[in-house]
C-alpha cells in the first residue's frame, strides 16, 4: 500500500538508521498565494482566455510585471521555479500583437530544448485564443525551406543566442520585417548567461540593439531569472539598460522539507563513508516505491547511468517508469521523457543539471541530490524541482565524501542561510569585445565616434584596420575582409564541439553525443558507454572525424578513465611574497591526456581490471595562480613527504576554493609539482578550467591565505587518521602520510612555526 510523502517522512523519523545520519531537517512553511487583478488595459480576449484556464486573478508579481511592461518599462522578473513566469512575457506580447498585428517579438532561450518547450506553450495559447498569430522556433534544426516563411510572417521568433549571433544578425537584411517592427525582446533564464558565455551574449545583445536602431525600432525587454544575489546589476550589465526588478513572488507554495544527509562512516581509519550513489538510491527507492514522483540529480553522466541501473534493478523496472535525462540524449528522446513526466507516465527521472534549466516537467514531489551541485543557487534550483503549489515536497541532499560536501554536512547552516551567489559577466573583456566589434562592423559600418554599448570603438577599429579587416572612408568604418567573422567566433567554449556515438549493430544508428573535451574520458576504445541503462562497448574512437563506434554488450562493470594533467607557465603577470615562499599569477598551458582506464564492478565498486588509452593530448591556454615553497619551508622533509603533502594540498584546495570563489568545483583545476620546471620549487597551481580564464585564479591569488586557513581547518576537523576523500584525498591517491605532510606545509605557509611539529 502506497504512502503519501508526509507519511513516508513521518515513518523515517522513527527509524534510527535513517535519522542518525541526518545533519539538518528544515521545514519551510507553506506560503499562501498573493493575487491581483489583470491590468485593466489587457484585451478582453486575453482576460476571457485566462478565465477559460481557471485564472480569475494573476499572481501579484505577474500583474506587476505585465502592467509595467505594457507601460513601456524594461522588466526583469526574478522568481522561483514554477511561479508562472511564462505569462509575464506571453501576455504583454500577445496584447501588443492584438493591438498592432505588424508587431514582432524575439524570444531568446539558452538552449534549443527550452525554445521548443516554450513554443509549445505559446502555440497552445494562440490556438485556444483562436487568433492568427504565428510563432516559430528558429535554430540550427530549422529546415531551409521553412526559413523564408519565418522571416516573412513570424510574429514571434524563438531562438537561442548562438543562432542570433551567427544565423540572424549577420543576415539582418533578410529580416527587415522583424527588425523594423520589433517591439519585444524576451530573454529567459537570464541567470544562465554568466561568465564567458554571458559576456559574449551581452555583446550579441549590443549588436541586436544597434541593428534595431538602424531599422528605427526600440524593443522593450522582458527578462526572467532564477534567484541570484545581484539581479539588477547582472540584468543591467547584460541588457545594457536600466530595468525594473520584480522579485516578490505571489505564487503559493506548499510546505517544503529540506534534508541534509551524511552517509555514515563505515571505516573510521580510512575515513570511508557509505557511497553517495547507493545512499541516494536508497532515498529515491523509498519515495518511488510509494508512487511519489521523484527526480534524482547526479553530478556526472556516468553517475546518472549507474544510478539509473540501480534504481531499475531495485524496482524491477523495464525502463518505462524510471528514465535517465542528461546531455548526450537526442532531442526527440528528451521531448518524450519530458512529456512522460508531465503526463505522469514516467514516475522517476535521474538527471544531470541539464534539467536544472526551466524545462517544464510538471510538479514532482521529491528531489534527491546525489552530491552537492557546487553552488548554493544550483542547490536551490535542483531542490526546487520538487515543489508544488499545494501539498508537501522534499529536497534531500546526500553528501558525497568530497571535502566540499563534507564541509556542508558539518555546517548545514552554510547552505540553509547563505544567500545565493551573484552572477558575473565582463562584456568589456577586450578579447570578447574585439570579436563582437568585428561582427558588428560586418553587419553595419561604424560611424567614427560611435559607441558599442557604452564602449568607444575607434581605437579597436584602428587596430582592425591595421589587420586589413576594416577600412575608413570619410567618417565610416567599413568591413573589407572576405571573411565571415560570426562563423569564426563561438559563444561557448570549444569543448562543446561534439563527438557522435554510433551503434554499429543496428545499421550505424546515432544514439547520442558527447563533447569533445570529455570524449577521451568517456568514449575511448574499450570504454563502457552507458545510455539509458543499456551498456555499449566502444570499438573505435575516430577523434579527427568526431565519431565513436559502439556495440551493445552486457557486462557487470563500468569504466572510469584517468586524466593526466600537466601544466606549463607561459607568462607571469604578478608575484608577491608569502610567509613560506612566493605566490604568483599568470597565463599557463594545461595539457591533458587520458592515459589509463579502470574497470569497476557494479555494486561492489571493486577494481577488476584496467587498460591503456591511446589518444592525442588536448591543450588549453588559461589563467592560473600558484605558490611555491622556499628552501626553508621544506627543510628536513624527505621529497616523498613533500610530494604527498603537495598532492594532498592541491586535492583539498581544488575542492574547498569553490566555496570562496563562488564557482563549481569543475570550473577549477589543480596541479602539484614537486620540482616545477618554472619555479624550480615545490609548487601548487590552481587554474581556470576555461580557455582564457574567467577570473577565478586571479581572485584565488588575492585570497590564498584565506584558502590555506580553510584547508588547515578542514584537515584538523577530519576524523580520519592519514588522509581520506573528505580532506587530502584517499591515501592511495595522495601518497602515504599526506595528511601530516599537508598539515606541515600549511603550518609553514601560515607561519605557524610552533605548530609545524605537531
Ligand atoms: Zn580525512
Amino acid at each position: 500500500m502506497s504512502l503519501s510523502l508526509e507519511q513516508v517522512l513521518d515513518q523515517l523519523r522513527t527509524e534510527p538508521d535513517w535519522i542518525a545520519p541526518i545533519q539538518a531537517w528544515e521545514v519551510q512553511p507553506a506560503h499562501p498565494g498573493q493575487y491581483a487583478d489583470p491590468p485593466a488595459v489587457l484585451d478582453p480576449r486575453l482576460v476571457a482566455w485566462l478565465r477559460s484556464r481557471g485564472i480569475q486573478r494573476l499572481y501579484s508579481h505577474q500583474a506587476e510585471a505585465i502592467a509595467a511592461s505594457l507601460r513601456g518599462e524594461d522588466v526583469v522578473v526574478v522568481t522561483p521555479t514554477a511561479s508562472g513566469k511564462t505569462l509575464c512575457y506571453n501576455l504583454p506580447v500577445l496584447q501588443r500583437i492584438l493591438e498592432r498585428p505588424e508587431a514582432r517579438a524575439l524570444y531568446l532561450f539558452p538552449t534549443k530544448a527550452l525554445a521548443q518547450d516554450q513554443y509549445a506553450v505559446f502555440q497552445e495559447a494562440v490556438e485556444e485564443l483562436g487568433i492568427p498569430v504565428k510563432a516559430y522556433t528558429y535554430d540550427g534544426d530549422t529546415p531551409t525551406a521553412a526559413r523564408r516563411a519565418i522571416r516573412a510572417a513570424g510574429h514571434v521568433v524563438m531562438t537561442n543566442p548562438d543562432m542570433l549571433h551567427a544565423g540572424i544578425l549577420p543576415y539582418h537584411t533578410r529580416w527587415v520585417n522583424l527588425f523594423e517592427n520589433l517591439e519585444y525582446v524576451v530573454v529567459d533564464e537570464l541567470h544562465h548567461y554568466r561568465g564567458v558565455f554571458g559576456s559574449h551574449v551581452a555583446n550579441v545583445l549590443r549588436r541586436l540593439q544597434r541593428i534595431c536602431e538602424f531599422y528605427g525600432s526600440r524593443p522593450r525587454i522582458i527578462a526572467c531569472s532564477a534567484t541570484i544575489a545581484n539581479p539588477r546589476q547582472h540584468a543591467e550589465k547584460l541588457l545594457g539598460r536600466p530595468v525594473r526588478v520584480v522579485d516578490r513572488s505571489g505564487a503559493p507554495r506548499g510546505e517544503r522539507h529540506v534534508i541534509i544527509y551524511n552517509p555514515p562512516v563505515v571505516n573510521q581509519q580510512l575515513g570511508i563513508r557509505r557511497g553517495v550513489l547507493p545512499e541516494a538510491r536508497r532515498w529515491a527507492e523509498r519515495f518511488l516505491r510509494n508512487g511519489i514522483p521523484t527526480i534524482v540529480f547526479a553530478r556526472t553522466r556516468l553517475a546518472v547511468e549507474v544510478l539509473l541501473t540501480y534504481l531499475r534493478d531495485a524496482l524491477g523496472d523495464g525502463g518505462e517508469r524510471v528514465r535517465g535525462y542528461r546531455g548526450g540524449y537526442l532531442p526527440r528522446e528528451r521531448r518524450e521523457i519530458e512529456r512522460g513526466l508531465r503526463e505522469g507516465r514516467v514516475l522517476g527521472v535521474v538527471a544531470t543539471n541539464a534539467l536544472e534549466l526551466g524545462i517544464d516537467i510538471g510538479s514532482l514531489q521529491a528531489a534527491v541530490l546525489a552530491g552537492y551541485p557546487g553552488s548554493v543557487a544550483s542547490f536551490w534550483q535542483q531542490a526546487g524541482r520538487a515543489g508544488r503549489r499545494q501539498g508537501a515536497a522534499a529536497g534531500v541532499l546526500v553528501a558525497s565524501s568530497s571535502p566540499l560536501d563534507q564541509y556542508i554536512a558539518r555546517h548545514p547552516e552554510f547552505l540553509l542561510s547563505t544567500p545565493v551567489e551573484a552572477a558575473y559577466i565582463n562584456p568589456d573583456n577586450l578579447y570578447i569585445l574585439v570579436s563582437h566589434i568585428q561582427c558588428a562592423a560586418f553587419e553595419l559600418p561604424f560611424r567614427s565616434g560611435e559607441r558599442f554599448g557604452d564602449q568607444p570603438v575607434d581605437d579597436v577599429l584602428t587596430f582592425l584596420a591595421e589587420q586589413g579587416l576594416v577600412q575608413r572612408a570619410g567618417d565610416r568604418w567599413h568591413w573589407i575582409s572576405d571573411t565571415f567573422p560570426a562563423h569564426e567566433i563561438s559563444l561557448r567554449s570549444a569543448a562543446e564541439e561534439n563527438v557522435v556515438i554510433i551503434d554499429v549493430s543496428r545499421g550505424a544508428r546515432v544514439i547520442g553525443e558527447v563533447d569533445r573535451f570529455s570524449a577521451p574520458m568517456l568514449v575511448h576504445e574499450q570504454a563502457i558507454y552507458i545510455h539509458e541503462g543499456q551498456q555499449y562497448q566502444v570499438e573505435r574512437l575516430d577523434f579527427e572525424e568526431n565519431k565513436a563506434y559502439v556495440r551493445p554488450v552486457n557486462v557487470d562493470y563500468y569504466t572510469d578513465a584517468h586524466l593526466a594533467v600537466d601544466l606549463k607557465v607561459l607568462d607571469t603577470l604578478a608575484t608577491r611574497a608569502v610567509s613560506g615562499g612566493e605566490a604568483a599569477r599568470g597565463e599557463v598551458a594545461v595539457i591533458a591526456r587520458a592515459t589509463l582506464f579502470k574497470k569497476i564492478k557494479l555494486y561492489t565498486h571493486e577494481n577488476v581490471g584496467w587498460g591503456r588509452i591511446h589518444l592525442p593530448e588536448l591543450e588549453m591556454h588559461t589563467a592560473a595562480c600558484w605558490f611555491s615553497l622556499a628552501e626553508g619551508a621544506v627543510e628536513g622533509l624527505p621529497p616523498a613527504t613533500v610530494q604527498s603533502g603537495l598532492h594532498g594540498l592541491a586535492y583539498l584546495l581544488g575542492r574547498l576554493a569553490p566555496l570562496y570563489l563562488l564557482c563549481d568545483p569543475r570550473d577549477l583545476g589543480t596541479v602539484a609539482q614537486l620540482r616545477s620546471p618554472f619555479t624550480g620549487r615545490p609548487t601548487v597551481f590552481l587554474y581556470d578550467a576555461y580557455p582564457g580564464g574567467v577570473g577565478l585564479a586571479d581572485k584565488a591569488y588575492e585570497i590564498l591565505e584565506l584558502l590555506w586557513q580553510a584547508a588547515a581547518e578542514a584537515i584538523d576537523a577530519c576524523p580520519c587518521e592519514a588522509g581520506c576523500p573528505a580532506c587530502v584525498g584517499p591515501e592511495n591517491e595522495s601518497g602515504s602520510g599526506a595528511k601530516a605532510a599537508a598539515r606541515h606545509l600549511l603550518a609553514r605557509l601560515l607561519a605557524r612555526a610552533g605548530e609545524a611539529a605537531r
Side-chain angles (χ1 to χ4, degrees):
M1 137 112 208
S2 290
L3 304 177
S4 70
L5 177 67
E6 287 92 335
Q7 288 169 319
V8 170
L9 293 176
D10 281 345
Q11 211 176 45
L12 292 179
R13 286 182 208 271
T14 66
E15 297 175 30
D17 67 317
W18 283 85
I19 273 296
I22 289 178
Q23 306 299 308
W25 185 326
E26 188 177 89
V27 183
Q28 301 177 335
H31 266 299
Q34 284 182 322
Y35 301 89
D37 288 327
V41 293
L42 208 60
D43 190 288
R45 283 169 284 181
L46 294 174
V47 177
W49 170 70
L50 287 172
R51 292 230 170 90
S52 76
R53 312 208 86 190
I55 303 171
Q56 306 292 332
R57 306 188 74 201
L58 295 168
Y59 297 141
S60 52
H61 66 272
Q62 292 174 324
E64 182 187 346
I66 293 163
S69 180
L70 291 175
R71 280 197 304 271
E73 293 182 48
D74 297 309
V75 180
V76 176
V77 183
V78 187
T79 51
T81 319
S83 53
K85 67 190 163 105
T86 305
L87 278 184
C88 295
Y89 50 78
N90 279 347
L91 281 179
V93 167
L94 284 167
Q95 166 84 12
R96 195 58 198 137
I97 297 173
L98 288 174
E99 285 168 4
R100 194 176 89 88
E102 299 77 34
R104 296 287 182 266
L106 180 70
Y107 284 26
L108 286 179
F109 300 96
T111 64
K112 284 191 244 177
L114 273 171
Q116 282 160 6
D117 198 44
Q118 287 301 328
Y119 166 76
V121 172
F122 190 87
Q123 202 54 31
E124 196 180 303
V126 165
E127 277 161 26
E128 287 173 3
L129 277 157
I131 49 176
V133 174
K134 291 195 167 64
Y136 297 96
T137 57
Y138 193 82
D139 56 39
D141 300 340
T142 309
T144 316
R147 296 188 174 199
R148 187 184 299 271
I150 297 171
R151 290 196 290 259
H155 288 95
V156 178
V157 177
M158 302 187 178
T159 188
N160 53 64
D162 314 77
M163 194 66 185
L164 181 63
H165 155 68
I168 296 179
L169 294 178
Y171 304 102
H172 59 90
T173 50
R174 299 183 198 168
W175 292 86
V176 177
N177 209 2
L178 176 76
F179 289 117
E180 278 186 348
N181 296 295
L182 194 60
E183 296 211 21
Y184 270 109
V185 173
V186 169
V187 185
D188 201 354
E189 305 283 335
L190 197 72
H191 59 281
H192 192 70
Y193 301 121
R194 57 184 166 203
V196 173
F197 182 44
S199 307
H200 274 294
V201 172
N203 280 288
V204 172
L205 292 173
R206 285 171 169 173
R207 284 161 52 200
L208 171 66
Q209 297 195 12
R210 189 166 173 262
I211 285 175
C212 288
E213 235 164 76
F214 176 78
Y215 287 101
S217 60
R218 191 192 183 281
R220 281 167 256 185
I221 296 177
I222 308 176
C224 297
S225 173
T227 309
I228 51 174
N230 59 339
R232 175 183 306 280
Q233 183 206 26
H234 181 58
E236 294 187 345
K237 215 161 183 183
L238 192 89
L239 306 172
R241 44 168 101 160
V243 294
R244 178 194 188 93
V245 175
V246 175
D247 58 1
R248 268 194 300 270
S249 171
R253 205 186 62 190
E255 184 180 75
R256 179 185 289 154
H257 297 257
V258 181
I259 296 168
I260 297 176
Y261 176 92
N262 198 11
V265 173
V266 290
N267 181 326
Q268 188 74 32
Q269 192 185 9
L270 299 176
I272 295 174
R273 293 176 182 275
R274 266 197 241 150
V276 60
L277 296 185
E279 292 289 276
R281 198 263 308 148
R282 222 156 65 93
W283 276 94
E285 188 188 335
R286 188 85 180 224
F287 293 135
L288 289 167
R289 276 196 190 286
N290 286 289
I292 295 166
T294 301
I295 184 164
V296 185
F297 281 104
R299 296 279 288 142
T300 64
R301 296 166 177 202
L302 181 61
V304 164
E305 296 295 349
V306 170
L307 261 173
L308 188 61
T309 306
Y310 289 178
L311 276 172
R312 283 182 177 168
D313 284 357
L315 298 167
D317 181 75
E320 298 82 36
R321 299 285 280 161
V322 185
R323 305 292 302 262
Y325 188 107
R326 58 169 174 79
Y329 283 17
L330 298 171
R332 61 179 151 69
E333 207 172 352
R334 289 187 180 215
R335 295 299 86 71
E336 184 211 322
I337 297 169
E338 288 157 18
R339 255 199 319 278
L341 279 164
R342 281 198 297 270
E343 292 165 5
R345 272 179 291 116
V346 175
L347 185 65
V349 65
V350 187
T352 54
N353 61 5
L355 249 181
E356 202 177 279
L357 290 167
I359 290 170
D360 180 17
I361 50 169
S363 49
L364 299 162
Q365 271 186 284
V368 177
L369 281 60
Y372 177 60
S375 76
V376 178
S378 286
F379 170 80
W380 288 112
Q381 270 171 56
Q382 295 189 355
R385 272 301 183 174
R388 316 189 119 186
R389 302 206 171 127
Q390 283 160 4
V396 182
L397 170 65
V398 179
S400 79
S401 54
S402 88
L404 191 51
D405 284 43
Q406 287 304 307
Y407 178 89
I408 284 161
R410 282 198 305 274
H411 305 279
E413 73 285 355
F414 173 84
L415 199 55
L416 299 173
S417 65
T418 307
V420 296
E421 293 88 351
Y424 294 110
I425 55 171
N426 180 11
D428 304 331
N429 169 313
L430 201 56
Y431 171 78
I432 294 173
L433 184 68
V434 169
S435 304
H436 289 277
I437 288 177
Q438 291 181 47
C439 297
F442 174 92
E443 286 152 8
L444 290 170
F446 274 100
R447 278 174 286 106
S448 70
E450 185 179 336
R451 296 175 93 81
F452 184 62
D454 57 357
Q455 296 293 303
V457 292
D458 282 328
D459 284 355
V460 173
L461 290 166
T462 306
F463 165 77
L464 294 177
E466 284 161 14
Q467 315 286 311
L469 296 172
V470 297
Q471 193 172 51
R472 189 171 178 158
D475 73 336
R476 287 273 196 279
W477 295 90
H478 294 272
W479 184 258
I480 53 163
S481 162
D482 55 7
T483 58
F484 189 88
H487 281 183
E488 281 158 29
I489 295 155
S490 170
L491 306 189
R492 313 193 197 219
S493 71
E496 298 195 13
E497 195 181 323
N498 287 335
V499 172
V500 297
I501 297 159
I502 298 164
D503 177 2
V504 293
S505 74
R506 281 188 278 177
R509 196 174 65 107
V510 172
I511 56 165
E513 53 191 20
V514 51
D515 70 79
R516 199 172 150 81
F517 213 75
S518 309
M521 301 285 286
L522 296 177
V523 290
H524 57 83
E525 272 156 39
Q526 294 188 59
I528 298 299
Y529 174 77
I530 317 181
H531 187 92
E532 268 275 331
Q534 168 66 50
Q535 299 167 314
Y536 297 86
Q537 186 161 42
V538 179
E539 297 195 333
R540 194 161 68 83
L541 171 61
D542 185 338
F543 207 48
E544 266 159 39
E545 291 292 318
N546 286 329
K547 285 179 180 144
Y549 300 92
V550 304
R551 191 180 288 281
V553 288
N554 193 358
V555 293
D556 63 351
Y557 65 89
Y558 60 92
T559 51
D560 191 11
H562 175 73
L563 196 67
V565 178
D566 198 10
L567 181 148
K568 277 190 296 221
V569 176
L570 303 174
D571 195 8
T572 307
L573 298 172
T575 59
R576 65 185 175 93
V578 295
S579 72
E582 192 178 63
R585 65 178 174 83
E587 289 172 17
V588 297
V590 176
I591 301 115
R593 197 160 66 89
T595 50
L596 303 171
F597 68 90
K598 289 186 281 193
K599 296 180 179 177
I600 296 170
K601 199 164 178 186
L602 288 165
Y603 293 102
T604 64
H605 297 229
E606 286 167 84
N607 191 341
V608 292
W610 65 281
R612 287 191 193 285
I613 301 172
H614 305 280
L615 283 173
E617 53 190 33
L618 296 171
E619 183 170 324
M620 167 178 77
H621 290 192
T622 186
C625 76
W626 58 92
F627 57 91
S628 51
L629 291 142
E631 196 78 53
V634 291
E635 211 174 0
L637 296 176
T641 305
V642 178
Q643 170 97 7
S644 46
L646 288 175
H647 274 283
L649 207 48
Y651 178 95
L652 181 54
L653 287 174
R655 287 159 179 82
L656 271 184
L659 275 178
Y660 295 87
L661 303 174
L662 304 178
C663 68
D664 188 289
R666 283 174 292 193
D667 297 341
L668 206 64
T670 59
V671 168
Q673 292 175 345
L674 179 60
R675 188 182 160 81
S676 158
F678 184 75
T679 64
R681 305 291 320 150
T683 305
V684 173
F685 295 86
L686 282 100
Y687 63 88
D688 284 48
Y690 289 106
V694 287
L696 301 174
D698 292 356
K699 183 162 176 210
Y701 172 75
E702 305 294 333
I703 58 164
L704 277 174
E705 284 80 2
L706 193 65
L707 298 177
W708 294 333
Q709 191 66 47
E713 279 165 19
I715 289 177
D716 287 344
C718 191
C720 71
E721 280 172 23
C724 74
C727 59
V728 295
E731 223 179 326
N732 60 357
E733 252 177 59
S734 290
S736 67
K739 190 172 181 178
R743 180 183 269 149
H744 196 100
L745 298 180
L746 281 169
R748 303 268 170 110
L749 286 166
L750 290 163
R752 298 189 308 183
E755 293 179 35
R758 268 202 336 193

